Amino acid sequence: MPHVFESLEKELDFITEGKNSESCKNELKHLEFLYVPAVHWKLTSKRILTMDFAEGISLVDVDTVKSAGFDTKDIMTKIIRIFSEQIFRTGYIHSDPHPGNLMVRNNRQTGKLEIVVIDHGLYERLPIVYRQAFASFWHSVIIDDYEEVQRSGKLLGLNYPDMMATLLFFQPYGKMKEIGFGGGHGKRKKLEDMSEEEKEQMEEIRHMGHDTIDSLPKELALVFRNIRLIQGINLSFGVPVNRARLMAEVAVKNSKKSADFVTELRCRAKFEWHFFVLDLRNWLFSLAMTIYNWFVKREETAANFSQAALFLKA
């Protein structure tokens, strides 16, 4: 992947990194919770980068972040907003947002949470055509508009849009469900226990996965890296937010609008209804688990009282 090596060469040029950091700061200045250290240009060259020193707790240290009292849901909501704005709105994307490049702290004046973003060496420019197509792709997967997923997927140069949706959302989508991606409700068979048909399906899935990644346009390769890194941070915090939903809220605002107002309104209503049902389902599940845990705890308490009574009798 020559474009990756080209990007890495740029990352070693600190003039480029300084300009990237300033672009990030200027393009996202409406996000008051984002802090990007200022560059001191008189003390900066291609081999030396001088910036303000920024204090904060690195997201590498999840336990310290939690013990310091930071709200992980608030952290993830803000992080996803920052990078969703880059992916779907500005098109100039930080492609290396691993935990070591992100810190959290409270603003000294307001006391509110701030996300500190550093190391702006590796960036990718996503042209507006790709940006709108990717926003439409993301939104369409959410509302299960299969035809639009295929259309926008082709605009992105994807040979297998269903596989890309599966990789991005971490669950089978479209034809991936039909050919058994995911092992059938989480049950995995050993190779020797598979039928010939199942082995063929597995080989087909493997081919589609490799082809999807290998054929990614250079503009999307590092964007995909950004998304997976943010997904990893969300996982490290125990998934406090629905990453797909938060990204979709930014995507829907920046996808190409339909000329038909009724169609646009219908899409928006479908989007809101999808998440209403999802939130209701999650709420009912949480309620069921609360009731279940209450009964289990009550039974355990009753059992403990019985054991105590037997002990006293003894």
PDB file of all heavy atoms in Angstrom, residues 9 11 21 31 36 41 62-63 68 79 84 108 146 175 184 195 197 202 210-211 220 228 253 271 280 288 291 299-300:
ATOM      1  N   GLU A   9       5.820   9.054   5.581  1.00  0.00           N
ATOM      2  CA  GLU A   9       6.889  10.023   5.294  1.00  0.00           C
ATOM      3  C   GLU A   9       6.479  11.417   5.737  1.00  0.00           C
ATOM      4  O   GLU A   9       7.263  12.168   6.320  1.00  0.00           O
ATOM      5  CB  GLU A   9       7.185  10.030   3.787  1.00  0.00           C
ATOM      6  CG  GLU A   9       8.130   8.912   3.354  1.00  0.00           C
ATOM      7  CD  GLU A   9       8.455   9.021   1.875  1.00  0.00           C
ATOM      8  OE1 GLU A   9       8.394  10.139   1.320  1.00  0.00           O
ATOM      9  OE2 GLU A   9       8.767   7.992   1.275  1.00  0.00           O
ATOM     10  N   GLU A  11       4.420  12.067   8.083  1.00  0.00           N
ATOM     11  CA  GLU A  11       4.336  12.097   9.534  1.00  0.00           C
ATOM     12  C   GLU A  11       5.677  12.479  10.164  1.00  0.00           C
ATOM     13  O   GLU A  11       5.729  12.998  11.277  1.00  0.00           O
ATOM     14  CB  GLU A  11       3.869  10.731  10.070  1.00  0.00           C
ATOM     15  CG  GLU A  11       3.556  10.747  11.548  1.00  0.00           C
ATOM     16  CD  GLU A  11       3.002   9.422  12.054  1.00  0.00           C
ATOM     17  OE1 GLU A  11       3.082   8.427  11.330  1.00  0.00           O
ATOM     18  OE2 GLU A  11       2.507   9.393  13.184  1.00  0.00           O
ATOM     19  N   SER A  21      -2.114  20.147  12.915  1.00  0.00           N
ATOM     20  CA  SER A  21      -2.691  20.448  14.227  1.00  0.00           C
ATOM     21  C   SER A  21      -3.461  21.766  14.196  1.00  0.00           C
ATOM     22  O   SER A  21      -4.536  21.894  14.796  1.00  0.00           O
ATOM     23  CB  SER A  21      -1.611  20.478  15.313  1.00  0.00           C
ATOM     24  OG  SER A  21      -0.743  21.575  15.137  1.00  0.00           O
ATOM     25  N   LEU A  31     -16.130  23.268  18.700  1.00  0.00           N
ATOM     26  CA  LEU A  31     -16.193  22.244  19.754  1.00  0.00           C
ATOM     27  C   LEU A  31     -15.356  22.739  20.937  1.00  0.00           C
ATOM     28  O   LEU A  31     -14.142  22.559  20.971  1.00  0.00           O
ATOM     29  CB  LEU A  31     -15.660  20.911  19.230  1.00  0.00           C
ATOM     30  CG  LEU A  31     -16.381  20.320  18.008  1.00  0.00           C
ATOM     31  CD1 LEU A  31     -15.735  18.994  17.606  1.00  0.00           C
ATOM     32  CD2 LEU A  31     -17.869  20.130  18.269  1.00  0.00           C
ATOM     33  N   VAL A  36      -6.275  21.500  21.354  1.00  0.00           N
ATOM     34  CA  VAL A  36      -5.106  21.140  20.547  1.00  0.00           C
ATOM     35  C   VAL A  36      -3.989  22.103  20.923  1.00  0.00           C
ATOM     36  O   VAL A  36      -4.148  23.322  20.790  1.00  0.00           O
ATOM     37  CB  VAL A  36      -5.414  21.261  19.038  1.00  0.00           C
ATOM     38  CG1 VAL A  36      -4.162  20.931  18.218  1.00  0.00           C
ATOM     39  CG2 VAL A  36      -6.561  20.336  18.646  1.00  0.00           C
ATOM     40  N   TRP A  41       5.967  28.412  16.064  1.00  0.00           N
ATOM     41  CA  TRP A  41       6.593  28.266  14.760  1.00  0.00           C
ATOM     42  C   TRP A  41       8.049  28.733  14.728  1.00  0.00           C
ATOM     43  O   TRP A  41       8.857  28.194  13.972  1.00  0.00           O
ATOM     44  CB  TRP A  41       5.783  29.020  13.710  1.00  0.00           C
ATOM     45  CG  TRP A  41       4.517  28.296  13.364  1.00  0.00           C
ATOM     46  CD1 TRP A  41       3.240  28.653  13.667  1.00  0.00           C
ATOM     47  CD2 TRP A  41       4.419  27.046  12.665  1.00  0.00           C
ATOM     48  NE1 TRP A  41       2.340  27.716  13.202  1.00  0.00           N
ATOM     49  CE2 TRP A  41       3.044  26.715  12.579  1.00  0.00           C
ATOM     50  CE3 TRP A  41       5.351  26.171  12.102  1.00  0.00           C
ATOM     51  CZ2 TRP A  41       2.582  25.561  11.965  1.00  0.00           C
ATOM     52  CZ3 TRP A  41       4.893  25.015  11.479  1.00  0.00           C
ATOM     53  CH2 TRP A  41       3.521  24.720  11.416  1.00  0.00           C
ATOM     54  N   VAL A  62      -6.751   3.424  31.529  1.00  0.00           N
ATOM     55  CA  VAL A  62      -8.206   3.430  31.732  1.00  0.00           C
ATOM     56  C   VAL A  62      -8.560   3.498  33.214  1.00  0.00           C
ATOM     57  O   VAL A  62      -9.459   4.251  33.621  1.00  0.00           O
ATOM     58  CB  VAL A  62      -8.838   2.171  31.088  1.00  0.00           C
ATOM     59  CG1 VAL A  62     -10.332   2.090  31.410  1.00  0.00           C
ATOM     60  CG2 VAL A  62      -8.627   2.191  29.586  1.00  0.00           C
ATOM     61  N   ASP A  63      -7.861   2.736  34.048  1.00  0.00           N
ATOM     62  CA  ASP A  63      -8.167   2.710  35.486  1.00  0.00           C
ATOM     63  C   ASP A  63      -7.960   4.079  36.130  1.00  0.00           C
ATOM     64  O   ASP A  63      -8.765   4.512  36.969  1.00  0.00           O
ATOM     65  CB  ASP A  63      -7.309   1.658  36.201  1.00  0.00           C
ATOM     66  CG  ASP A  63      -7.697   0.242  35.816  1.00  0.00           C
ATOM     67  OD1 ASP A  63      -8.850   0.041  35.392  1.00  0.00           O
ATOM     68  OD2 ASP A  63      -6.846  -0.660  35.920  1.00  0.00           O
ATOM     69  N   ALA A  68     -10.111   8.869  38.607  1.00  0.00           N
ATOM     70  CA  ALA A  68     -10.069  10.332  38.716  1.00  0.00           C
ATOM     71  C   ALA A  68     -11.467  10.947  38.658  1.00  0.00           C
ATOM     72  O   ALA A  68     -11.628  12.157  38.821  1.00  0.00           O
ATOM     73  CB  ALA A  68      -9.198  10.917  37.614  1.00  0.00           C
ATOM     74  N   ILE A  79     -15.267  12.344  22.124  1.00  0.00           N
ATOM     75  CA  ILE A  79     -14.265  11.816  21.192  1.00  0.00           C
ATOM     76  C   ILE A  79     -14.911  11.456  19.861  1.00  0.00           C
ATOM     77  O   ILE A  79     -14.399  11.792  18.783  1.00  0.00           O
ATOM     78  CB  ILE A  79     -13.551  10.590  21.802  1.00  0.00           C
ATOM     79  CG1 ILE A  79     -12.594  11.027  22.918  1.00  0.00           C
ATOM     80  CG2 ILE A  79     -12.778   9.817  20.729  1.00  0.00           C
ATOM     81  CD1 ILE A  79     -11.952   9.881  23.664  1.00  0.00           C
ATOM     82  N   SER A  84     -15.989  12.234  14.173  1.00  0.00           N
ATOM     83  CA  SER A  84     -17.097  12.170  13.215  1.00  0.00           C
ATOM     84  C   SER A  84     -17.197  13.466  12.432  1.00  0.00           C
ATOM     85  O   SER A  84     -17.501  13.459  11.227  1.00  0.00           O
ATOM     86  CB  SER A  84     -18.426  11.904  13.946  1.00  0.00           C
ATOM     87  OG  SER A  84     -18.411  10.643  14.564  1.00  0.00           O
ATOM     88  N   ARG A 108      -9.317  24.498  33.332  1.00  0.00           N
ATOM     89  CA  ARG A 108      -9.016  25.221  34.577  1.00  0.00           C
ATOM     90  C   ARG A 108     -10.016  26.338  34.866  1.00  0.00           C
ATOM     91  O   ARG A 108     -10.291  26.644  36.029  1.00  0.00           O
ATOM     92  CB  ARG A 108      -7.608  25.798  34.512  1.00  0.00           C
ATOM     93  CG  ARG A 108      -6.532  24.736  34.589  1.00  0.00           C
ATOM     94  CD  ARG A 108      -5.145  25.357  34.549  1.00  0.00           C
ATOM     95  NE  ARG A 108      -4.105  24.342  34.669  1.00  0.00           N
ATOM     96  CZ  ARG A 108      -2.800  24.605  34.628  1.00  0.00           C
ATOM     97  NH1 ARG A 108      -2.385  25.862  34.458  1.00  0.00           N
ATOM     98  NH2 ARG A 108      -1.928  23.625  34.750  1.00  0.00           N
ATOM     99  N   TYR A 146     -31.012  -0.956   2.061  1.00  0.00           N
ATOM    100  CA  TYR A 146     -30.059  -1.825   1.374  1.00  0.00           C
ATOM    101  C   TYR A 146     -29.643  -1.270   0.016  1.00  0.00           C
ATOM    102  O   TYR A 146     -28.460  -1.318  -0.352  1.00  0.00           O
ATOM    103  CB  TYR A 146     -30.645  -3.222   1.214  1.00  0.00           C
ATOM    104  CG  TYR A 146     -29.643  -4.239   0.727  1.00  0.00           C
ATOM    105  CD1 TYR A 146     -28.666  -4.753   1.593  1.00  0.00           C
ATOM    106  CD2 TYR A 146     -29.634  -4.672  -0.598  1.00  0.00           C
ATOM    107  CE1 TYR A 146     -27.724  -5.672   1.155  1.00  0.00           C
ATOM    108  CE2 TYR A 146     -28.693  -5.592  -1.045  1.00  0.00           C
ATOM    109  CZ  TYR A 146     -27.744  -6.086  -0.163  1.00  0.00           C
ATOM    110  OH  TYR A 146     -26.807  -6.983  -0.609  1.00  0.00           O
ATOM    111  N   LYS A 175     -25.895  -9.638   2.840  1.00  0.00           N
ATOM    112  CA  LYS A 175     -25.558 -10.991   2.397  1.00  0.00           C
ATOM    113  C   LYS A 175     -24.677 -11.730   3.390  1.00  0.00           C
ATOM    114  O   LYS A 175     -24.596 -12.959   3.362  1.00  0.00           O
ATOM    115  CB  LYS A 175     -24.874 -10.932   1.027  1.00  0.00           C
ATOM    116  CG  LYS A 175     -25.826 -10.530  -0.098  1.00  0.00           C
ATOM    117  CD  LYS A 175     -25.118 -10.498  -1.439  1.00  0.00           C
ATOM    118  CE  LYS A 175     -26.093 -10.075  -2.549  1.00  0.00           C
ATOM    119  NZ  LYS A 175     -25.421  -9.972  -3.863  1.00  0.00           N
ATOM    120  N   GLY A 184     -23.237 -18.229  13.066  1.00  0.00           N
ATOM    121  CA  GLY A 184     -24.561 -18.656  13.500  1.00  0.00           C
ATOM    122  C   GLY A 184     -24.787 -18.456  14.964  1.00  0.00           C
ATOM    123  O   GLY A 184     -24.679 -19.385  15.760  1.00  0.00           O
ATOM    124  N   SER A 195     -19.484 -28.970   7.059  1.00  0.00           N
ATOM    125  CA  SER A 195     -19.857 -29.611   5.806  1.00  0.00           C
ATOM    126  C   SER A 195     -19.100 -28.922   4.677  1.00  0.00           C
ATOM    127  O   SER A 195     -18.516 -27.848   4.863  1.00  0.00           O
ATOM    128  CB  SER A 195     -21.367 -29.485   5.580  1.00  0.00           C
ATOM    129  OG  SER A 195     -21.715 -28.110   5.393  1.00  0.00           O
ATOM    130  N   GLU A 197     -20.344 -27.449   2.136  1.00  0.00           N
ATOM    131  CA  GLU A 197     -21.022 -26.173   1.859  1.00  0.00           C
ATOM    132  C   GLU A 197     -20.567 -25.088   2.836  1.00  0.00           C
ATOM    133  O   GLU A 197     -20.314 -23.944   2.444  1.00  0.00           O
ATOM    134  CB  GLU A 197     -22.532 -26.347   1.952  1.00  0.00           C
ATOM    135  CG  GLU A 197     -23.302 -25.081   1.594  1.00  0.00           C
ATOM    136  CD  GLU A 197     -24.811 -25.248   1.743  1.00  0.00           C
ATOM    137  OE1 GLU A 197     -25.269 -26.376   2.056  1.00  0.00           O
ATOM    138  OE2 GLU A 197     -25.529 -24.238   1.550  1.00  0.00           O
ATOM    139  N   MET A 202     -17.208 -20.333   4.201  1.00  0.00           N
ATOM    140  CA  MET A 202     -16.125 -19.752   4.987  1.00  0.00           C
ATOM    141  C   MET A 202     -15.029 -19.196   4.078  1.00  0.00           C
ATOM    142  O   MET A 202     -14.485 -18.111   4.312  1.00  0.00           O
ATOM    143  CB  MET A 202     -15.555 -20.822   5.918  1.00  0.00           C
ATOM    144  CG  MET A 202     -14.509 -20.315   6.890  1.00  0.00           C
ATOM    145  SD  MET A 202     -14.103 -21.573   8.101  1.00  0.00           S
ATOM    146  CE  MET A 202     -12.341 -21.334   8.182  1.00  0.00           C
ATOM    147  N   HIS A 210     -10.704 -10.094   2.705  1.00  0.00           N
ATOM    148  CA  HIS A 210      -9.387  -9.654   2.211  1.00  0.00           C
ATOM    149  C   HIS A 210      -9.544  -8.671   1.057  1.00  0.00           C
ATOM    150  O   HIS A 210      -8.845  -7.650   0.985  1.00  0.00           O
ATOM    151  CB  HIS A 210      -8.555 -10.858   1.763  1.00  0.00           C
ATOM    152  CG  HIS A 210      -7.949 -11.627   2.894  1.00  0.00           C
ATOM    153  ND1 HIS A 210      -7.040 -11.069   3.776  1.00  0.00           N
ATOM    154  CD2 HIS A 210      -8.125 -12.909   3.314  1.00  0.00           C
ATOM    155  CE1 HIS A 210      -6.679 -11.971   4.670  1.00  0.00           C
ATOM    156  NE2 HIS A 210      -7.329 -13.092   4.419  1.00  0.00           N
ATOM    157  N   ASP A 211     -10.468  -8.971   0.154  1.00  0.00           N
ATOM    158  CA  ASP A 211     -10.660  -8.117  -1.013  1.00  0.00           C
ATOM    159  C   ASP A 211     -11.169  -6.731  -0.604  1.00  0.00           C
ATOM    160  O   ASP A 211     -10.745  -5.718  -1.161  1.00  0.00           O
ATOM    161  CB  ASP A 211     -11.653  -8.757  -1.981  1.00  0.00           C
ATOM    162  CG  ASP A 211     -11.822  -7.934  -3.249  1.00  0.00           C
ATOM    163  OD1 ASP A 211     -10.976  -8.070  -4.150  1.00  0.00           O
ATOM    164  OD2 ASP A 211     -12.783  -7.140  -3.324  1.00  0.00           O
ATOM    165  N   LEU A 220      -9.721   6.073   1.862  1.00  0.00           N
ATOM    166  CA  LEU A 220     -10.526   5.421   2.908  1.00  0.00           C
ATOM    167  C   LEU A 220      -9.711   4.520   3.840  1.00  0.00           C
ATOM    168  O   LEU A 220     -10.171   4.192   4.931  1.00  0.00           O
ATOM    169  CB  LEU A 220     -11.640   4.586   2.274  1.00  0.00           C
ATOM    170  CG  LEU A 220     -12.821   5.349   1.686  1.00  0.00           C
ATOM    171  CD1 LEU A 220     -13.805   4.373   1.056  1.00  0.00           C
ATOM    172  CD2 LEU A 220     -13.527   6.171   2.762  1.00  0.00           C
ATOM    173  N   ARG A 228     -11.636   2.193  13.534  1.00  0.00           N
ATOM    174  CA  ARG A 228     -11.358   1.000  14.347  1.00  0.00           C
ATOM    175  C   ARG A 228     -10.641   1.368  15.651  1.00  0.00           C
ATOM    176  O   ARG A 228     -10.861   0.739  16.690  1.00  0.00           O
ATOM    177  CB  ARG A 228     -10.520  -0.007  13.544  1.00  0.00           C
ATOM    178  CG  ARG A 228     -11.238  -0.602  12.351  1.00  0.00           C
ATOM    179  CD  ARG A 228     -12.601  -1.209  12.689  1.00  0.00           C
ATOM    180  NE  ARG A 228     -12.501  -2.347  13.557  1.00  0.00           N
ATOM    181  CZ  ARG A 228     -12.448  -3.620  13.147  1.00  0.00           C
ATOM    182  NH1 ARG A 228     -12.489  -3.886  11.858  1.00  0.00           N
ATOM    183  NH2 ARG A 228     -12.381  -4.601  14.013  1.00  0.00           N
ATOM    184  N   LYS A 253     -26.407  14.589   9.019  1.00  0.00           N
ATOM    185  CA  LYS A 253     -26.381  16.037   8.797  1.00  0.00           C
ATOM    186  C   LYS A 253     -25.494  16.420   7.613  1.00  0.00           C
ATOM    187  O   LYS A 253     -25.632  17.513   7.055  1.00  0.00           O
ATOM    188  CB  LYS A 253     -25.865  16.758  10.050  1.00  0.00           C
ATOM    189  CG  LYS A 253     -26.808  16.674  11.240  1.00  0.00           C
ATOM    190  CD  LYS A 253     -26.173  17.327  12.457  1.00  0.00           C
ATOM    191  CE  LYS A 253     -27.062  17.185  13.693  1.00  0.00           C
ATOM    192  NZ  LYS A 253     -26.406  17.745  14.903  1.00  0.00           N
ATOM    193  N   PHE A 271     -34.865   7.054  10.472  1.00  0.00           N
ATOM    194  CA  PHE A 271     -33.657   7.112  11.307  1.00  0.00           C
ATOM    195  C   PHE A 271     -34.034   7.256  12.785  1.00  0.00           C
ATOM    196  O   PHE A 271     -33.559   6.520  13.647  1.00  0.00           O
ATOM    197  CB  PHE A 271     -32.805   8.300  10.853  1.00  0.00           C
ATOM    198  CG  PHE A 271     -31.586   8.563  11.692  1.00  0.00           C
ATOM    199  CD1 PHE A 271     -30.443   7.804  11.539  1.00  0.00           C
ATOM    200  CD2 PHE A 271     -31.586   9.575  12.639  1.00  0.00           C
ATOM    201  CE1 PHE A 271     -29.320   8.045  12.302  1.00  0.00           C
ATOM    202  CE2 PHE A 271     -30.468   9.826  13.409  1.00  0.00           C
ATOM    203  CZ  PHE A 271     -29.331   9.067  13.240  1.00  0.00           C
ATOM    204  N   LEU A 280     -35.644   1.736  23.234  1.00  0.00           N
ATOM    205  CA  LEU A 280     -36.718   1.070  23.995  1.00  0.00           C
ATOM    206  C   LEU A 280     -36.333  -0.366  24.314  1.00  0.00           C
ATOM    207  O   LEU A 280     -36.512  -0.837  25.440  1.00  0.00           O
ATOM    208  CB  LEU A 280     -38.017   1.104  23.184  1.00  0.00           C
ATOM    209  CG  LEU A 280     -39.234   0.449  23.847  1.00  0.00           C
ATOM    210  CD1 LEU A 280     -39.597   1.163  25.159  1.00  0.00           C
ATOM    211  CD2 LEU A 280     -40.434   0.456  22.894  1.00  0.00           C
ATOM    212  N   ALA A 288     -35.432  -5.574  32.711  1.00  0.00           N
ATOM    213  CA  ALA A 288     -35.544  -7.011  32.974  1.00  0.00           C
ATOM    214  C   ALA A 288     -34.363  -7.501  33.810  1.00  0.00           C
ATOM    215  O   ALA A 288     -34.535  -8.299  34.743  1.00  0.00           O
ATOM    216  CB  ALA A 288     -35.618  -7.776  31.652  1.00  0.00           C
ATOM    217  N   ILE A 291     -34.733  -6.299  37.461  1.00  0.00           N
ATOM    218  CA  ILE A 291     -35.723  -7.130  38.181  1.00  0.00           C
ATOM    219  C   ILE A 291     -35.137  -8.498  38.491  1.00  0.00           C
ATOM    220  O   ILE A 291     -35.275  -9.012  39.607  1.00  0.00           O
ATOM    221  CB  ILE A 291     -37.010  -7.261  37.345  1.00  0.00           C
ATOM    222  CG1 ILE A 291     -37.694  -5.887  37.221  1.00  0.00           C
ATOM    223  CG2 ILE A 291     -37.963  -8.273  37.975  1.00  0.00           C
ATOM    224  CD1 ILE A 291     -38.842  -5.858  36.237  1.00  0.00           C
ATOM    225  N   GLU A 299     -33.252 -13.796  46.907  1.00  0.00           N
ATOM    226  CA  GLU A 299     -33.131 -15.225  47.193  1.00  0.00           C
ATOM    227  C   GLU A 299     -31.826 -15.527  47.926  1.00  0.00           C
ATOM    228  O   GLU A 299     -31.789 -16.357  48.834  1.00  0.00           O
ATOM    229  CB  GLU A 299     -33.207 -16.020  45.887  1.00  0.00           C
ATOM    230  CG  GLU A 299     -34.610 -16.042  45.284  1.00  0.00           C
ATOM    231  CD  GLU A 299     -34.643 -16.761  43.958  1.00  0.00           C
ATOM    232  OE1 GLU A 299     -33.589 -17.319  43.559  1.00  0.00           O
ATOM    233  OE2 GLU A 299     -35.710 -16.786  43.326  1.00  0.00           O
ATOM    234  N   GLU A 300     -30.740 -14.829  47.516  1.00  0.00           N
ATOM    235  CA  GLU A 300     -29.460 -15.036  48.192  1.00  0.00           C
ATOM    236  C   GLU A 300     -29.529 -14.576  49.642  1.00  0.00           C
ATOM    237  O   GLU A 300     -28.989 -15.228  50.541  1.00  0.00           O
ATOM    238  CB  GLU A 300     -28.349 -14.268  47.462  1.00  0.00           C
ATOM    239  CG  GLU A 300     -27.961 -14.892  46.137  1.00  0.00           C
ATOM    240  CD  GLU A 300     -26.918 -14.062  45.414  1.00  0.00           C
ATOM    241  OE1 GLU A 300     -26.663 -12.915  45.869  1.00  0.00           O
ATOM    242  OE2 GLU A 300     -26.366 -14.547  44.410  1.00  0.00           O
TER     243      GLU A 300
END
